Amino acid sequence: MTVYCLGSINADNVYSVPHLPAPGETLAATGLFRGLGGKGANQSVAAALGGARVVHIGAVGPDGRWAVDRLAEFGVDTAHVVQSDHPTGHAIINVAPDGENAIVIFPGANARQDGVRIEAALADAGPGDTLLMQNETSHQAEAAALAVGRGMHVVYSAAPFDLVALGAVLPRLSLLVLNAVEAAQMRSALGEVTGPEVIVTDGANGATWYFDGQCIAAPAFPVKPMDTTGAGDCFIGSLVAALDLGKDRTGALRYATAAAAIQVTRPGTTDAMPTLAEVRAFLT
Ligand code: ADP
């Protein structure tokens, strides 16, 4: 089947700084790394490396061709990534020597998706296919409604957490994935959610899947983390790929926690994501 990911595509600019800049301060960075990021692109890459057929639905600006090419290099179908007149989304990520970071995101083209193009992208989708989304693009509610109308599964990562955005898609979701902080924000606002199945990830404590009054807990694999940026995206993309390839909840959780464990031992986000073969080798 196919995983359609409506998601952000960002140019990540990661600056090494001696400390996070104070208000009014001008600071020289000691290093710069540029790469493909955005939760949507991250999750598409993880799912494609996990063996799923992935169609990314998104938008970049005139300056974003390289990002689309990079997505394609990872095996993601980019036929439905449109070029808009707005700049490509980007992130300015300052990282201090102790690993503490401060991030500014400019949504740019990510916030200017085109409903007609989304409908066209989903024209061939049907039952068994999955729509995967995160909260970094416009048109989430429209896409969710289209997907439900086509009988698709809808998987949503409520990050960055926003109650209004979540409320707009919640009735359409098959599966909601939150990290521990987002889960606490949701519970304090909505109480326990009824409706979709829910997975809560909790870093080195692993992940728990809640469904039909039951739960399955998957411990994290013990690894020495080096850079946990994008761990949640790796987990979600890998999980969706595993489900798409026919794994059950327990098997998909095991696959996703293994993929994310490998990812946190490597630097970077998309560049750190493991292939299906690497995860299989890790699990044997
Ligand atoms: P997010 O990146 O969204 O904050 P988490 O920190 O909960 O998400 O991480 C997602 C998943 O990645 C976890 O459920 C776990 O399986 C894996 N993971 C994250 N940090 C570690 C770690 N230090 N060791 C092993 N696995 C980890």
Side-chain angles (χ1 to χ4, degrees):
M1 307 312 287
T2 302
V3 175
Y4 294 83
C5 178
L6 168 62
S8 54
I9 299 171
N10 282 346
D12 277 354
N13 300 286
V14 184
Y15 300 93
S16 307
V17 288
H19 56 263
L20 298 182
E25 182 178 12
T26 300
L27 197 57
T30 56
L32 168 62
F33 168 79
R34 281 210 176 103
L36 173 66
K39 289 178 185 302
N42 293 345
Q43 293 180 18
S44 279
V45 168
L49 292 178
R53 173 168 185 260
V54 181
V55 174
H56 193 94
I57 306 171
V60 295
D63 53 345
R65 190 68 238 170
W66 68 272
V68 181
D69 291 345
R70 191 82 190 102
L71 261 181
E73 279 165 27
F74 283 110
V76 175
D77 180 337
T78 58
H80 295 285
V81 177
V82 299
Q83 194 187 304
S84 84
D85 295 335
H86 301 276
T88 304
H90 55 264
I92 294 164
I93 305 169
N94 289 313
V95 183
D98 63 358
E100 174 113 52
N101 62 34
I103 303 175
V104 175
I105 290 179
F106 180 75
N110 294 316
R112 310 284 185 138
Q113 307 291 333
D114 177 338
V116 175
R117 303 295 291 259
I118 293 172
E119 200 166 351
L122 295 177
D124 296 331
D129 292 328
T130 301
L131 175 69
L132 172 61
M133 298 189 294
Q134 327 72 30
N135 185 28
E136 283 189 338
T137 66
S138 62
H139 289 73
Q140 295 163 33
E142 291 91 327
L146 284 169
V148 169
R150 295 191 158 275
M152 300 169 70
H153 307 290
V154 182
V155 180
Y156 188 67
S157 157
F161 188 82
D162 177 80
L163 202 53
V164 175
L166 175 60
V169 296
L170 193 56
R172 318 264 191 209
L173 303 184
S174 347
L175 175 61
L176 170 64
V177 186
L178 308 148
N179 69 17
V181 175
E182 293 150 5
Q185 287 173 301
M186 188 186 71
R187 281 196 199 102
S188 76
L190 298 178
E192 290 305 322
V193 161
T194 53
E197 301 189 8
V198 176
I199 294 178
V200 179
T201 67
D202 190 9
N205 295 316
T208 308
W209 192 324
Y210 301 89
F211 63 101
D212 296 342
Q214 309 168 52
C215 72
I216 303 172
F221 287 87
V223 291
K224 203 160 167 250
M226 178 196 179
D227 175 3
T228 60
T229 319
D233 293 334
C234 181
F235 176 94
I236 294 163
S238 303
L239 180 103
V240 166
L243 292 170
D244 183 68
L245 296 181
K247 287 205 188 303
D248 63 8
R249 292 184 187 87
T250 305
L253 270 178
R254 185 171 145 79
Y255 183 85
T257 45
I262 298 171
Q263 199 263 356
V264 301
T265 62
R266 302 173 178 173
T269 47
T270 46
D271 297 314
M273 306 226 174
T275 61
L276 180 63
E278 286 172 324
V279 179
R280 281 193 180 144
F282 180 87
L283 285 172
T284 52

